[in-house]
């Protein structure tokens, strides 16, 4: 972890990650444990975990194209009202509008391309900034 | 129900596999099907089962599975295509409501035959 700050009411952390499962899992655990400490419900934890997994996987696999020398930066802030996650890879980026809709009839049997759809479905806000190597996601706690 | 474990279930397998009246039932060892390497192994293991059958009848049960990723969905689609190419049948069952929502969002609930219980899934094979 590059830096972290936590109190009873909030957590913020910045992680610079290589594509090593143990490092990625450690970062994910830090984020998820902060969410659980603030008593987000099971559905919220499920949603945030899924989006975090998909975004990190996209960053390493499609962004950095599996290059072990490249890093992914994960920044997150958790407070009682919302969770903000920003993930940036070292790739060239992509145009999110160029990703085919996996729910269209002609694409439904294609095995890939659902990560972004799931992130958008489960998070309150997903913004991909040009050139497309940085994603900002926000989850607003229901109720 | 009396089920016989299959010989290819090994200590390093990510699956528990059993056979009953010509239907192969597959369960996952892991609660979280997220890790890319595990997903590849799961895909390879189920593909071997499919390839070993003439007209495979496969039931994949999601008992105890808490999370799965889009990569796992991709593997299920590949398996479904493989089963269909052999004129076989694939059923999914026991999916947690939150995971079922993932199938609904991606419209994969229309591609797969999904049943609430193992018994319902077993009864659906022709």
């Amino acid at each position: 972890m590059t830096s972290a700050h936590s109190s009873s009411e909030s957590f913020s952390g910045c992680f610079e990650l290589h594509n090593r499962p143990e490092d990625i899992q450690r970062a994910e655990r830090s984020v998820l444990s902060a969410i659980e400490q603030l008593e987000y419900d099971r559905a919220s934890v499920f949603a945030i975990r899924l989006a975090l997994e998909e975004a990190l996987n996209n960053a390493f696999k499609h962004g950095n194209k599996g290059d072990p020398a490249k890093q992914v930066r994960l920044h997150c802030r958790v407070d009682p009202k919302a969770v903000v996650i920003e993930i940036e890879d070292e790739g060239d980026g992509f145009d999110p509008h160029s990703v085919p809709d996996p729910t269209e009839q002609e694409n439904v049997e294609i095995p890939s391309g659902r990560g972004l759809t799931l992130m958008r479905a489960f998070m309150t806000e997903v913004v991909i900034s040009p050139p497309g190597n940085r994603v900002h996601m926000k989850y607003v706690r229901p109720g | 129900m009396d089920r016989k474990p299959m010989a290819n279930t090994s200590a390093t397998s990510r699956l528990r596999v059993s056979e009953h009246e010509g239907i192969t039932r597959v369960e996952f060892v892991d609660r979280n099907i997220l890790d890319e390497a595990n997903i590849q192994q799961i895909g390879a293991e189920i593909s071997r089962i499919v390839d070993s059958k003439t007209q495979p009848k496969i039931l994949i049960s999601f008992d105890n599975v808490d999370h799965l990723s889009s990569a796992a969905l991709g593997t299920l689609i590949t398996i479904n295509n493989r089963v269909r190419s052999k004129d076989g049948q694939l059923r999914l069952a026991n999916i947690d409501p939150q995971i079922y929502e993932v199938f609904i969002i991606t419209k994969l609930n229309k591609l797969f035959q999904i049943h609430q219980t193992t018994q319902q899934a077993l009864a659906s094979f022709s």
Side-chain angles (χ1 to χ4, degrees), chain A residues 115-127:
Chain A
L116 191 54
T117 298
L118 292 174
M119 288 155 58
R120 285 179 169 142
F122 281 100
M123 298 299 274
T124 311
E125 181 181 291
V126 175
V127 179

Side-chain angles (χ1 to χ4, degrees), chain A residues 21 25 42-46 49-50 53-54 57 61 102-103 108-112 114-115 117-118 121-122, chain B residues 32 34-36 66-71 73-75 77-78 81 84 96 98-99 101-102 105-108 111:
Chain A
Q25 285 166 15
R42 185 170 174 261
S44 298
V45 176
F46 180 91
R49 181 176 190 176
L50 187 68
E53 281 282 346
E54 296 295 343
N57 188 52
K61 190 174 177 180
T103 64
V108 81
E109 291 187 42
I110 297 172
S112 59
R114 289 175 178 76
T117 298
L118 292 174
F122 281 100
Chain B
N32 301 315
L34 300 167
D35 180 81
E36 192 85 6
D66 293 332
H67 288 272
L68 57 74
S69 66
S70 64
L73 295 177
T75 293
I77 292 167
T78 302
N81 291 340
R84 286 200 312 201
D96 174 271
Q98 286 181 318
I99 295 179
E101 199 181 338
V102 171
I105 289 164
T106 53
K107 296 193 178 170
L108 291 175
L111 179 69

Side-chain angles (χ1 to χ4, degrees), chain B:
Chain B
M1 183 184 302
D2 182 32
R3 291 196 313 258
K4 296 174 184 170
M6 287 178 68
N8 66 347
T9 304
S10 70
T12 55
S13 175
R14 314 290 347 146
L15 305 174
R16 282 187 287 270
V17 182
S18 57
E19 191 89 17
H20 177 74
E21 294 180 354
I23 298 167
T24 307
R25 178 174 168 178
V26 175
E27 293 173 295
F28 299 101
V29 170
D30 304 293
R31 299 185 75 86
N32 301 315
I33 308 175
L34 300 167
D35 180 81
E36 192 85 6
N38 282 356
I39 291 168
Q40 282 181 14
Q41 185 183 339
I42 285 166
E45 286 189 52
I46 300 178
S47 293
R48 275 199 295 276
I49 294 167
V50 173
D51 292 348
S52 71
K53 310 280 182 187
T54 312
Q55 287 182 307
K57 293 181 178 180
I58 310 285
L59 164 57
I60 301 179
S61 172
F62 288 77
D63 260 339
N64 302 318
V65 174
D66 293 332
H67 288 272
L68 57 74
S69 66
S70 64
L73 295 177
T75 293
L76 290 173
I77 292 167
T78 302
I79 291 163
N80 189 48
N81 291 340
R82 214 174 183 112
V83 169
R84 286 200 312 201
S85 75
K86 297 196 78 175
D87 203 19
Q89 298 169 55
L90 176 68
R91 306 286 188 264
L92 310 183
N94 300 320
I95 298 178
D96 174 271
Q98 286 181 318
I99 295 179
Y100 188 65
E101 199 181 338
V102 171
F103 282 83
I104 293 172
I105 289 164
T106 53
K107 296 193 178 170
L108 291 175
N109 59 320
K110 294 179 180 171
L111 179 69
F112 293 108
Q113 283 205 33
I114 301 175
H115 297 270
Q116 282 196 330
T117 67
T118 300
Q119 291 304 323
Q120 289 169 353
L122 289 171
S124 74
F125 284 101
S126 52

Side-chain angles (χ1 to χ4, degrees), chain A residues 50-124:
Chain A
L50 187 68
L52 180 58
E53 281 282 346
E54 296 295 343
L56 284 172
N57 188 52
N58 281 350
F60 282 112
K61 190 174 177 180
H62 303 298
N64 288 351
K65 302 195 187 309
D67 184 342
K70 290 185 174 174
Q71 286 188 312
V72 167
R73 177 180 288 193
L74 161 64
H75 180 262
C76 78
R77 176 171 171 78
V78 181
D79 68 37
K81 292 184 176 173
V83 177
V84 174
I85 295 170
E86 289 177 340
I87 292 173
E88 183 175 2
D89 61 58
E90 295 188 86
D92 297 332
F94 76 109
D95 176 4
H97 301 294
S98 69
V99 179
D101 181 350
T103 64
E104 291 291 330
Q105 186 64 36
E106 66 267 26
N107 299 327
V108 81
E109 291 187 42
I110 297 172
S112 59
R114 289 175 178 76
L116 191 54
T117 298
L118 292 174
M119 288 155 58
R120 285 179 169 142
F122 281 100
M123 298 299 274
T124 311

